[in-house]
Amino acid sequence: MTDHPTIAPALTAAEPIQEARRWHLPSVLRAAGLCAGAIALLLVVGFALSRHPFGFDAAISNALRGAGPAWLRKAMIDVTALGGGTVLTIVTVGAVAILIARRLALTAGMVAAAVITGTAGSNLLKLVFMRPRPPIADRLIEVTGDSFPSGHAANSAIVYLTLAALVTQVTPGRATRNTVLGLAIILVGAVGTSRVYLGVHWPSDVLAGWSFGTLWAIGWWQIARQTRPLLATA
């Protein structure tokens, strides 16, 4: 399998239409993008019209934080690590190495560029907003730094969702592509939820992180889609 701007030549007669859809934004990603855009707009309006945290932040945080049995608390600590810098770096380096080994250099380069620039953008937003974390004394884990947007929510979306989105462009089979995207969305959702459960982020922090990372992934899907034919004809 190689990076290619057009439909793979080894198509069966039964699947040309399905394979052509590889070059259209997947419906799963389109729906996620619409939700992300709507959430981003609501958050912007909310910040403009009211003080933060928002009313729903405290209500959700109080209801969700530390709820459930001991095994759930341990599971949430494990899940939140999947959005940490160490794990995301390992995943990114490993994914890029595998893509290069599969002779998918363009996809590998796009993944690396998307992760590096997206992480920098997420960190910059934290510096702009400088929002304090929830004033919770008995957090289930210790954290430092600013709160908005959630770095774990944003960066997990930037890594997992961008990787899944770009891989769909070089993966045959609509069902396989939707499964890859679906698993990435579930993983990103779990990481973000764990941040509120553990008491280290407001829900709006996580919503903002999800929105930023999702829109970032869609943006890089479009960049890769437009770049492939240009490189093929260069």
Side-chain angles (χ1 to χ4, degrees):
M1 188 185 298
T2 57
D3 285 315
H4 200 281
T6 58
I7 301 171
L11 292 176
T12 63
E15 280 202 337
I17 295 178
Q18 290 187 6
E19 290 306 296
R21 289 173 180 163
R22 187 190 314 184
W23 308 109
H24 298 282
L25 187 66
S27 57
V28 174
L29 202 56
R30 186 182 303 113
L34 290 174
C35 291
I39 290 171
L41 180 60
L42 289 174
L43 289 175
V44 169
V45 173
F47 272 112
L49 298 180
S50 66
R51 299 177 62 86
H52 55 77
F54 305 121
F56 70 87
D57 276 323
I60 295 175
S61 294
N62 293 334
L64 188 61
R65 182 176 60 85
W71 66 263
L72 181 59
R73 290 191 286 274
K74 183 179 184 304
M76 284 295 183
I77 293 174
D78 292 339
V79 168
T80 208
L82 298 176
T86 300
V87 173
L88 292 179
T89 299
I90 292 173
V91 170
T92 301
V93 172
V96 169
I98 291 172
L99 289 168
I100 292 175
R102 293 294 303 274
R103 303 172 71 178
L104 298 170
L106 175 59
T107 303
M110 289 288 178
V111 168
V115 170
I116 292 171
T117 56
T119 301
S122 173
N123 291 335
L124 179 60
L125 287 175
K126 281 181 174 289
L127 294 176
V128 170
F129 287 97
M130 298 182 65
R131 183 183 189 183
R133 291 182 184 271
I136 298 173
D138 56 340
R139 293 176 182 147
L140 298 182
I141 58 174
E142 291 299 321
V143 292
T144 58
D146 297 316
S147 189
F148 187 94
S150 165
H152 277 64
N155 294 335
S156 62
I158 290 167
V159 173
Y160 298 126
L161 196 53
T162 301
L163 177 59
L166 294 179
V167 164
T168 62
Q169 294 184 349
V170 293
T171 301
R174 184 181 181 186
T176 301
R177 295 193 292 271
N178 285 338
T179 299
V180 169
L181 284 170
L183 290 174
I185 289 173
I186 292 172
L187 179 56
V188 171
V191 170
T193 301
S194 73
R195 304 305 285 172
V196 179
Y197 181 93
L198 296 172
V200 297
H201 275 294
W202 298 108
S204 56
D205 299 336
V206 172
L207 289 173
W210 281 338
S211 297
F212 178 81
T214 299
L215 296 175
W216 197 262
I218 293 174
W220 278 91
W221 187 95
Q222 295 288 1
I223 291 172
R225 173 67 182 88
Q226 298 298 321
T227 301
R228 293 181 193 277
L230 295 178
L231 293 183
T233 57

